[in-house]
Amino acid sequence: MTAAAELIGVTQRFGSFTAVDAVDLAVPPGKLTTLLGPSGCGKTTTLRMIAGYSAPTSGTIRIDGIDSTRTPPEKRNLGMVFQSYALFPHMTVADNVGYGLKLRKVPAAERRARVMETLELVGLAHLAGRKPKKLSGGQQQRVALARAIAIRPRLLLLDEPLSNLDARLRVQMRTEIRRIQAETELTVILVTHDQDEALEMSDEMVIMNEGRIVQQGAPQQVFPRPADRFVAEFLGYENFLTAADGTPLTIRPEHLRLAEQAPGLPATVADVAFRGVDLLVSLDVVDPSGATVRLLADVRGGTAPAPGSSVTVVTPDDHLVRLPR
Amino acid sequence: MKRPVTAALAVVGYLIMIVPIVFVVATAFTAGSTLRFPPDGFSLRWFGEAFAYEPFVEATISSVQLAVLAAALALLIGVPATLAIHRGRIPGKGLVEGLFLSPLIVPELVVGLALFQQLMVGLDLDNFTALLVGHTALMLPYAVRVTGASLALADPALEEAARGLGASPLRAFVNVTLPVLRPGIFSAGLLSVVTSFNNVPLSLLLQGRDFRTLPVTMLDYVQQSYDPMVAAASTLILAATVVIAVIAERTVGFAKIFGGISR
Ligand SMILES: Nc1ncnc2c1ncn2[C@@H]1O[C@H](COP(=O)(O)OP(=O)(O)OP(=O)(O)O)[C@@H](O)[C@H]1O
Ligand SMILES: [Mg+2]
C-alpha cells in the first residue's frame, strides 16, 4: 500500500537553526495521524512542507507516491485548516466553503449542492449566509474544516485545530473530527501538543522532539511502551528509577501500589495531597540500584498514609517500562 | 480623571481650536454685512453670495480636480510600493518606506519652493502639473501608512489558505488580500482628498494665473474685502470635511491611519 504522504530525509533549516532534522515518515492512507510534540519541535514546519508552503532544505516529499517536493500548494489539492482558521472575512460561510470549488470551475448549481452537503457534514448548514466575524470560535473552526473538505482533498492537514477552543468544546470536537474523518474516509494529519488529544484521536501517532521523530505507532502500542525518557515524560510517566543492573525504568503514578510490608521497595511518605477521587502521595523510595528517588503514587481508595511514616512501594512488573540507557 | 493637569490642558487645547471655528461659523449666518461677532441677525444670504461668486466656484472645481487626481495618483503609486516594501524582497526596505513617509516631516514650504524652482522655473511646466506633483507627494505618506497598517492586520494565512484551495499567487492576492485592504485604501483616498483640498502652503507657492485652488482664492479675497462671504465658504468647506472625515473614520479609524508613524 502506498503511503498517502511520505517524507524521506526531510530537513528544514532556518539560517543555522535546524527546525526539522532528516525526518522519515510514512502517513498511512485513510487514517488519522497525529504529529505530537512540545512547542517548537517542528510540527508546523513539517505540516507546512507537506502542504507546500515552504520547500524543505533537503529531502523528498511524496504525495500518493508522486514526488511533490517542489510542487506549489495550489497544485497539491490538499485541505489545510490553519490555527487562526484564516476564513476570508469578506465572504459568507457558503462562499468560503465554495471558494475552492469555484477555482475548480465547478458549475454553480453543483457547487451550491456540494457546499450545503459539506456544511451539513459539519452541522452548520443554517449559517451558510453569515459572515465569519459573526460566528463563535467553534463555528469558525467548523467552517474552516468544511472549506478544506469541500475540495475533496487528497490529504486533510490540521494545525492545532482545537487549541483556540474552550476546554469543553475541545473535547467535543475530538469526537466530531473523528466522525468526519470516518464519514469522508480522508487521510488526516493533525498537529497537536496535547497528548490526551493525540491518544484519543489517533490511528497513528508520531511523536517529535527537537526536529526529529522519536516514536511512531498506534496509541495502544506507544502509550504502554514509551521509547525513551522524553516520550515517557511527555506521556505522563512521572516516576523514573534504576534497576539493579543499571537499566533506567519508568512507571506511571497510578500503577504504583502502597503495601504494609515486603516484597517491595522501602519508602518514606513525604507528602500527601487530597484530590477528590484520588490521593497523590509523594514518596522517597530506595530503588533497586540503592539510590533514593522521589516517586509519585496516585492512590484510589484506602486510608491516607501519614507523612513521615514508612511504607512499602510495589512496582508491578507488567507496568514497569524499561528505557534505553 | 486621573490626571487633572493633562485633562485641563486638553480642554484648553480644544477650546483654542474650536472657539475660532465657532466664531467663523456663527458669522457666516449673519444678516449684516461685516465679519463681526456676535452676528447681526440670522440669514443664509452669504451662502447664496458665496455660491454666486464666480472665482470661488471656479476655484472649487479646480481644487476638487486637483485633490481627486492627486489622491488617485498617490494611491496608484503608494499602494503597490507598500506591497512591494512589505511583501517583496527589497533590500533597504526601511529606507524606501522612510522616503515615502518623508513628506510628513519636510516643511511644505521647502517642498513647494523646490518644486517651484525645479518644475516651473527649471522645466517650464505649468502650475497645475507642479501642483499635482506637490500634492501627490504630500498624499503619499497616507497611502503608504494606511496600506501598511491594513497589510499588517491582514492574516498572512489568508493568502496561504487561498493558495491551498487552488489559487495562483496573483489570484490569491486579488481574491483575498485586496478586499481586505480595500476599506483602508478607500479611507486613505478620502483623507488625501481632504488634505489636498485644504492645503495652503504648497498651493500658495505654486499658484498661477489660470489655476488656483479654493484656499488660495479665499486668501486673496480676504486681503481685499472683509465680508462674511468668506466665513460662509469656510463653513461649507468645514461641513464637507467633517462628513468625509466621519466616513473615513467609520471605515478604518484614525488610530490606524495616524498611529505609530514613527514606530
Ligand atoms: N520562518 C521561520 N524562520 C525562522 N525560524 C523558524 C521559522 N519557522 C519556524 N521556526 C523555528 O523552528 C522551530 C519549529 O517551529 P514550528 O513552528 O514548526 O514549531 P511547532 O512544533 O509547530 O511549535 P508550536 O507547538 O509552538 O506551534 C521553532 O524553534 C521556530 O522558532
Ligand atoms: Mg505550530
Side-chain angles (χ1 to χ4, degrees), chain B residues 17 63 69 113 157 215 241:
Chain B
M17 282 196 292
S63 271
L69 266 175
L113 214 56
T241 305

Side-chain angles (χ1 to χ4, degrees), chain A residues 48 53 74 84 90 99 104, chain B residues 155 158 160 163 165 167 175:
Chain A
R48 289 176 60 83
Y53 294 120
E74 61 267 28
S84 63
H90 56 294
Y99 182 72
R104 283 163 181 72
Chain B
D155 182 357
L158 284 180
E160 289 182 343
R163 295 280 305 277
L165 292 165
N175 284 172

